[in-house]
Amino acid sequence: MIHSLFVINHLGDIFLEKHWKSVISRSVCDYFFEAREKAVDPENVPPVLQTPHHYLISIYRGKLFFLSVIQTEVPPLFVIEFLHRVADTFQDYFGECSESVISDNVVIVYELLEEMLDNGFPLATESNVLKEMIRPPNILRSVVNTLTGGSNVGETLPQGQLSNIPWRRAGVKYTNNEAYFDVTEEIDAIVDKSGTTVSAEIQGVIEACVKLSGMPDLTMSFMNPRLLDDVSFHPCVRFRRWESERVLSFIPPDGNFTLMTYHISSQNLVAIPVYVKQSISFFEAGSCGRLDITIGPKQTMGKTVEDLKVTVHMPKAVLNANLTASQGNYTYDFTTKLLVWDIGKLNPQKLPNLRGSLSMQTGVPNPEENPSLNIDLKIQQLAISGLKVSRLDMYGEMYKPFKGVKYVTKAGKFQVRT
Amino acid sequence: MSASSAFNDEKSGSSSVGEPEYGHDPASGGIFSSDYKRHDDLKEMLDSNKDSLKLEAMKRIVAMIARGKNASDLFPAVVKNVACKNIEVKKLVYVYLVRYAEEQQDLALLSISTFQRGLKDPNQLIRASALRVLSSIRVTIIVPIMMLAIKEAASDMSPYVRKTAAHAIPKLYSLDPEQKDQLIEVIEKLLADKTTLVAGSVVMAFEEVCPERIDLIHKNYRKLCNLLIDVEEWGQVVIINMLTRYARTQFLNPNINESLLEEGGSGDKTFYGSDEDEDEDEEEKEKKAEAAAMAKRKPYVMDPDHRLLLRNTKPLLQSRNAAVVMAVAQLYFHLAPKAEVGVIAKALVRLLRSHSEVQYVVLQNVATMSIKRRGMFEPYLKSFYIRSTDPTQIKVLKLEVLTNLANETNISTILREFQTYIKSMDKDFVAATIQAIGRCATNISEVRDTCLNGLVQLLSNRDELVVAESVVVIKKLLQMQPEKHSDIIKHMAKLTDNIQVPMARASILWLIGEYCEHVPKIAPDVLRKMAKSFTNEEDIVKLQIINLAAKLYLTNSKQTKLLTQYVLNLAKYDQNYDIRDRARFIRQLIVPTEKSGALSKYAKKLFLALKPAPVLESPFKDRDHFQLGSLSHLLNAKAGGYQELPDWPEAAPDPSVRNVEVKESVPEWTKCSSREKRKEKKVEKPFYTDSEGESGPTESADSESDSASGLESSSGSEESGSGSESEESKEASESEEEEEEEEEEQKKKKKKDLKKPVQESESEQSSEEEERKHQRKSKPRKSESESESDEDEESESESSQSESEDSESEAEVKKKKKTAESKPPPKPLKKESKKEKKEMSLLDLDDFEPAPSPQVTPVNTFLSNSLVTDLEGLSLSDSVLSPATIAPSSALKSYELLHRITGEGLSVEYCFSRQPFSPDANMVAVQMQFTNSASSDTKNLHIEDVKLQSGMRVKEFPEIELLPAGETATAVMGIDFCDSTQAANFQLCTHTRKFFVSIQPPVGELMRPVFLTENEFKKEQGQLMGMNEITEKLTLDVKCRNEHAIVQRVTTAANLSRVPCGSDKECRFAGRTVTSGSLVLVTVATKEEGAAQLTVNCEKMVIGTMLVKDILQALTQ
């Protein structure tokens, strides 16, 4: 299984290494650096590399490469999924997953890695179990620790690993018992030049923040569960109950977790909240181009579209943009060739428009394709698929919790071709 | 392992790389000025009394390790703190230790005792962590200690510790592969574990240590399937992958019939793309024909276990863990009937929203699947559309999938999509798109012209790469039907002026040369232009120019003779020798000279032969011979440790091997760790314990107790026997197994009032036995009241439990206690049924005919038995007289070899008759009893395909030609177990079926009794001291505190004979192992209050250890 782990920053420095079996020299990473050079873009580095003695499986997260060294056959997804889990755990512990944070907390990181794998096989990956063994750092505790010489290793031995529900620790107590659920849907769509939808899917996720005492047993039911035909659950959800009754029944982990994700595929009809009228053209003569983009509401279900943003990757030949926006601001970064138009709230009465000219590099043939537009948006209080939670019941505990459900629709990979 | 040498290299490499970096490390350099000082400082801190200082020092050291700096010289200072009270210091010391122990082996040994202490801690978590660290220290010297620790932990009460033990197995294996056999034993034991916590880890260990031992899985298969959903996610992946392999060896291909259907209709294309070449098709057809033939013979019915696996893995498609989803997907792809594979598509498409690395792997697998099962992904076509923001490697893979999915109906949509891709800024992607278009065009003839036109349009693209790629693809397409497209060739000829990409130029030249007859005017002109620029061309273009010249010379020598000469002359002086060679060769071939050989006649044939059109096929074709989702599949090359996915078997192996009931045949000691299991086992199978009770314990009880305390006590034990039996029958009646009750009734009747008929109906020998039994039985009956109630019987049986030695009958008693409350209701019922069945009893007698004593040597047995009877009243303690006879007459425990349900009416039991096996003295005699309870006769019972560990031998029993329905037969076979408790596996064949069975001997059956005098015994014992002596203290069971009970229990557990002894505090036994003849000496010394000490002396330590366990169990329970 996983033999060693190297964490590499964007400059190509190995700043952390951990070995679960015999030590493997860091020179094994040279093969990776070679591939990294060749790929130009960090995203294009093949996740799996073959070297004479080892296999290297890497992920790219937060400008860091997590590179694991494998010696024998193992499902690549197993390793990739685990590496992401490691990055998630760091995120969970330190709030972000970056070089500086990892270097600052190197001892905790090391202790975490020690617990997460045994001989290369995952041992404890549930964040609740880990937090019982190794407490996450916080300012108060670090002050206290320096004064009293206390430690951030749990004094009590973790029991979570031993129970049937490893995701929840025993003896949780809150004064305010509350359970909040965020239903977030992202629209992945491709809209072509003429405005027709090429493909559209919805990626939904229910994030939960549950702070309930004791061992609550929750049941969540939906108004229209038939929408959900492609789902994946947190291990706490009782699958058979879902199969038979279409309700989510679970003993929740403590704190934040992803209860379920669902996918509404392109076979279904997906509402597209905005339309885009655009024309981008480059002229052979005068080495310049024109750009004109207008955005208007389409199927918003009566809600307001907020945080609207258009991002365009311009062709290399575009030197600068001289545009005027009827609403919001635009920026053009001529090194990355990225045009960003931050619109904000969409006003149906006065449609936002961005127009102007683009100056081109002379002597270079005009780009023949037009750049595609990536749209970002947010609609509060709406799940675009129409999903609605009908009720949330709690069993097993006597108190009455506060409950809340919030809906948000966002644009995911929403792309308009031109 | 092969990699070990690599480790060593690297290890030395790392330290040499690590050291010089010290000075440059800004983090540490800021605090301490020099190496020496820093390390002194750390040592001082580690030596201090304050935990906080130690902690600070350890933190710095761990930070050094994390950065890859060498901290090995601190080892002595650190290892001292291994027993530190502070838990965080301790943890960090562990981290350090595991990292450097390999380099500092001697010093690491200092820490071992701490862990050994930890292994005995009452807290399970401490035990587990001690084992974890101990097993992570890669020091070869401690291998035996690790082995011991693992074995102990494997039977720990805490599942968490057992899980840790499972984790430790691969560690030890990689350290010392020699331990494999012992480790497999531990794995086997842990595989039987019923907790979800252990399942994943032990299967992992199984995969790393002994993936080839698929036979270990049989018994645990159903359990693993059922536990699967509750196992932690990482374990799920490993288990699913292993079960995929397992299923491929054990079940039949579920698609046999479908491939047959496909063959019938020519609708092949819907499933298999037309891109499959001819040979492949033919091969496939052949295969199908075979399969069809087979299918005709026997219609396919899915094994229920196969179905179980599919059913239990399906919910896991909903897992949040991509690896689990992928594992289930590959399982379905490899194992499910075609109609059901579709369910995985949705889940895989969902994964496409995940991280790009996940996408990358999933798309690779989808690409492979989509070739074989295109229909599955067609509905999700749009999910594979490409976004401009996708990384290039993802784009290319999506393109691959789209191309695989293209067919007549969706090609127009796909081509429209491709058109947008061609405009992309990502040129590598555009090139890949053009190739994809080419592939679509070759695969789908309807769109060939459209594609070609589109590609020709691309020829006017401004980007040279695009044009070049198009030329290459067009060239391939034109080869399919050149005559129609002379204008395209003309168009391309013009391009030579502009295109600079060598590959494209070469392609154009080749095209013109190949089809110069279609463009007779242009071709010479092109050659003229090329001749001009010859010297500046790339090599690959030059070669094609020569080629073109040669072809033109052959077809149109009038116009091009001079040009060709010129080109060849230029080539003659080229710098590249390939070109010079080629020129020389061609000149000889085409230019006729007086010396020119025979070949030049054929020049035209050589150059202008019709060339087959190239096949454009997916790079993912045929990748599915690798297990999907595996690293090997991704790399398309076998990775180290990859286990091949076996082909489906032609005929299904015996499914009954997975029947858990068969477990019964496994001797007690292998699973003595868990008591519940045994109880459960008993509950499962009242029938057999019952019949056993009839043949075994009653007899043994007879002889033993008779000799011990005369007739009175014997009657008691007899009663106890029947009492427990009747309890048994009650239990059975509760579970509605009437048959048993019948038998039970019959037995009783037989005992009470059907003496004569029984004798008549039975064979001579058994009737003799029966008679003895009844005679003795009738006596107590008379002395006691006739209306003896069941309660009486019960209480009696409890009091006389000490007599019923057999653990089996013990378990019965336990069970009886349990059912005591529920007793009253079934009682009257039973009595009724007793009356009802009185008449029938005669007819059904052969059903319960007691297992006859060995038939090979009937005279012997008979003699010995009657001897015992004759000797009634004599005290057994002077058993010097007939030590050997005790053994056979005491409880012959019989084991099940084949249950009548799995055996389809044929049931087989076996027992170790403890008789010398006459054909070969080194073999253990195994007596088998075959009962045919089916309605039809069974013929040709014999043994086949014996699978044995090396050194073991089997002497088969003579074939039983006919076993009529309802009849019973016995046979004796000999097995030389080589003094090991390895099972002998073989197939039991009838004229219609084969059953996989295995016989595993309890260690006590691997020996034969020998007669020793007290002095001899002491002398031999003196020579078997030290390592060969194992001593255990024990507390004797309450019912086993008198001497004769001990004797009986020991002789039941092992085939030993009593050695006379002066002291009444000691019982001694002696025997020799059957194969090697090593002495086995057993001493049980009793003390006050039931305390006792058991000593076993045996040259063979393994035998000794196991024997101690068995005897210990026999004496304490």
Side-chain angles (χ1 to χ4, degrees), chain A residues 17 26 44 48 60 73 84-85 114 118 151-152 186 188 201 230-232 366 369 372 415 417, chain B residues 66-67 88 132 171 233 318 350 353 357 383 388 392 417 423 425 462 630-632 634 640:
Chain A
E17 63 178 71
R26 49 169 67 186
N44 269 327
V48 183
Y60 183 63
E73 168 68 46
H84 277 294
R85 206 60 74 77
E114 184 75 27
D118 181 16
S151 71
N152 57 356
E186 294 192 354
D188 291 354
E201 312 178 325
D230 185 9
V231 287
S232 73
N366 279 340
E369 80 286 311
S372 51
Q415 200 159 79
R417 289 175 178 165
Chain B
R67 291 200 185 85
E88 186 167 21
R132 210 184 135 192
K171 295 187 212 170
E233 44 198 347
Q318 255 70 44
R350 174 163 37 93
R353 248 311 287 251
E357 296 87 10
S383 303
S388 60
T392 310
E417 196 54 26
K423 291 192 217 139
M425 279 182 263
R462 247 172 302 154
S630 67
L631 184 61
S632 305
L634 191 82

Side-chain angles (χ1 to χ4, degrees), chain B residues 478 482 485-493 511-512 515 518-519:
Chain B
L478 285 185
H485 299 294
S486 56
D487 48 336
I488 295 177
I489 299 175
K490 274 178 210 159
H491 181 84
M492 288 174 75
L511 260 182
I512 295 171
Y515 306 113
H518 301 294
V519 284

Side-chain angles (χ1 to χ4, degrees), chain A residues 311-324:
Chain A
T311 313
V312 190
H313 277 273
M314 286 294 179
K316 280 200 195 78
V318 177
L319 283 180
N320 212 340
N322 186 12
L323 311 167
T324 42

Side-chain angles (χ1 to χ4, degrees), chain A residues 1 3 15-17 19-26 43-48 50 54-55 57-61 71-78 80-82 84-85 103 106-107 110-111 114-115 117-119 121-123 125-126 133-134 149-155 157-159 161-162 186 188-190 193 198-199 201 203 229-235 239-240 263 265-267 313-315 365-366 368-369 371-372 374 413 415 417, chain B residues 3 6-7 10-11 14 21 52 55 59 62-63 65-68 87-88 91-92 95 99 102 123-126 132 136 138 160 163 167 170-171 197 200-201 204 208 229 232-235 237-238 241 315 318-323 326 346-347 349-353 355 357-362 379-380 382-383 385-393 417 420-421 423-425 427 461-463 629-632 634-635 637-642:
Chain A
M1 289 271 153
H3 211 295
F15 66 92
L16 183 84
E17 63 178 71
H19 308 276
W20 284 275
K21 300 185 184 182
S22 296
V23 179
I24 289 181
S25 157
R26 49 169 67 186
E43 283 176 338
N44 269 327
V45 183
V48 183
Q50 192 173 11
H54 305 98
Y55 306 97
I57 300 185
S58 60
I59 63 159
Y60 183 63
R61 271 284 283 270
Q71 275 199 316
T72 50
E73 168 68 46
V74 56
L77 270 186
F78 186 96
I80 289 170
E81 186 76 30
F82 176 79
H84 277 294
R85 206 60 74 77
S103 301
V106 72
V107 174
Y110 224 67
E111 284 171 338
E114 184 75 27
E115 290 301 335
L117 279 184
D118 181 16
N119 194 35
F121 190 75
L123 191 64
T125 50
E126 276 300 331
M133 290 190 273
I134 301 150
S151 71
N152 57 356
V153 167
E155 291 290 342
L157 292 154
Q159 303 297 325
Q161 267 172 308
L162 309 173
E186 294 192 354
D188 291 354
I190 302 176
K193 211 180 227 167
V198 177
S199 87
E201 312 178 325
Q203 190 67 31
D229 70 336
D230 185 9
V231 287
S232 73
F233 299 121
H234 189 276
F239 186 72
R240 304 217 190 273
H263 180 242
S265 68
S266 50
Q267 291 155 305
H313 277 273
M314 286 294 179
N366 279 340
E368 87 181 56
E369 80 286 311
S372 51
N374 294 302
K413 297 173 179 173
Q415 200 159 79
R417 289 175 178 165
Chain B
F7 294 166
E10 279 148 12
K11 225 187 301 153
S14 80
E21 275 177 42
S52 58
L55 183 61
K59 279 186 173 174
V62 167
I65 297 174
R67 291 200 185 85
I87 196 160
E88 186 167 21
K91 271 195 173 180
L92 295 176
V95 168
R99 169 70 179 75
E102 206 173 4
N123 185 324
Q124 48 174 339
L125 290 156
I126 293 178
R132 210 184 135 192
S136 299
R138 289 168 295 274
Y160 185 64
K163 181 193 177 78
H167 276 275
K171 295 187 212 170
L197 210 54
S201 305
M204 183 65 231
E208 284 206 11
I229 193 142
E232 39 90 36
E233 44 198 347
W234 311 107
V237 178
V238 179
N241 280 324
Q318 255 70 44
S319 171
R320 64 170 171 173
N321 187 320
M326 189 67 232
K346 199 192 277 173
V349 168
R350 174 163 37 93
L351 292 186
L352 292 180
R353 248 311 287 251
H355 302 286
E357 296 87 10
V358 176
Q359 278 186 53
Y360 177 80
V361 178
V362 172
Y380 304 96
K382 284 183 175 176
S383 303
Y385 281 5
I386 293 154
R387 294 188 165 76
S388 60
T389 41
D390 288 332
T392 310
Q393 49 185 357
E417 196 54 26
T420 45
Y421 299 163
K423 291 192 217 139
S424 164
M425 279 182 263
K427 292 304 163 208
N461 193 295
R462 247 172 302 154
D463 193 283
S630 67
L631 184 61
S632 305
L634 191 82
L635 299 167
K638 223 176 128 180
Y642 173 72

Side-chain angles (χ1 to χ4, degrees), chain B residues 1081-1100:
Chain B
L1081 307 176
V1082 177
T1083 316
V1084 183
T1086 49
K1087 290 165 197 161
E1088 273 93 71
E1089 298 290 318
Q1093 181 169 319
L1094 169 70
T1095 311
V1096 172
N1097 302 72
C1098 179
E1099 208 177 302
K1100 301 225 160 188

